Amino acid sequence: MQPHRQIKATELIERLNRGESLNLIDVREVIEYLTYNIGGSNIPLSKLESTLNSLSYNKTDEIIVICKVGLRSETAQTILEQHGYSNVRNLSGGLIAVQKLK
């Protein structure tokens, strides 16, 4: 199995600033998402597996999973990969890394 692919906060911010349309899944709890987010779908990690069938992504689409520090999103990345998603990237350092750049 290939090692988990990551995306650095600097690359993510650059791509968002260029106006790229990215498939972001924020796997934090709803209250965390409402407190601070950079967009994307909010699917808490605890609900991810039960909502996989309703995701509108192709299995080959780039999907970037994000959380506060990168641990929950790494778990989400594993879940998505186990269900056949082949281009999942984890935000390295999570939203904490993004906030440090702003």
Side-chain angles (χ1 to χ4, degrees):
M1 188 160 168
Q2 67 182 22
H4 285 315
R5 297 180 55 218
Q6 302 215 331
I7 182 170
K8 291 187 177 342
T10 49
E11 180 188 343
L12 180 63
I13 300 233
E14 285 170 10
R15 291 176 66 186
L16 288 170
N17 287 341
R18 283 198 304 260
E20 274 190 58
S21 178
L22 302 174
N23 298 317
L24 301 176
I25 299 179
D26 189 324
V27 297
R28 297 174 302 149
E29 294 301 314
V30 174
I31 189 72
E32 294 174 277
Y33 181 80
L34 293 174
T35 302
Y36 173 79
N37 71 75
I38 58 170
S41 305
N42 179 216
I43 307 172
L45 183 59
S46 59
K47 296 184 173 76
L48 181 61
E49 234 167 328
S50 63
T51 59
L52 281 174
N53 290 334
S54 62
L55 292 180
S56 58
Y57 308 115
N58 291 317
K59 300 265 179 168
T60 54
D61 287 350
E62 180 187 45
I63 298 172
I64 300 169
V65 284
I66 55 182
C67 69
K68 185 175 179 182
V69 296
L71 295 175
R72 283 177 283 180
S73 52
E74 190 173 308
T75 302
Q77 181 178 29
T78 300
I79 291 169
L80 288 164
E81 287 171 349
Q82 287 171 342
H83 285 86
Y85 290 87
S86 60
N87 193 7
V88 183
R89 298 177 75 188
N90 180 27
L91 175 58
S92 177
L95 289 170
I96 296 285
V98 170
Q99 286 177 299
K100 284 180 181 170
L101 295 172
K102 293 201 170 221

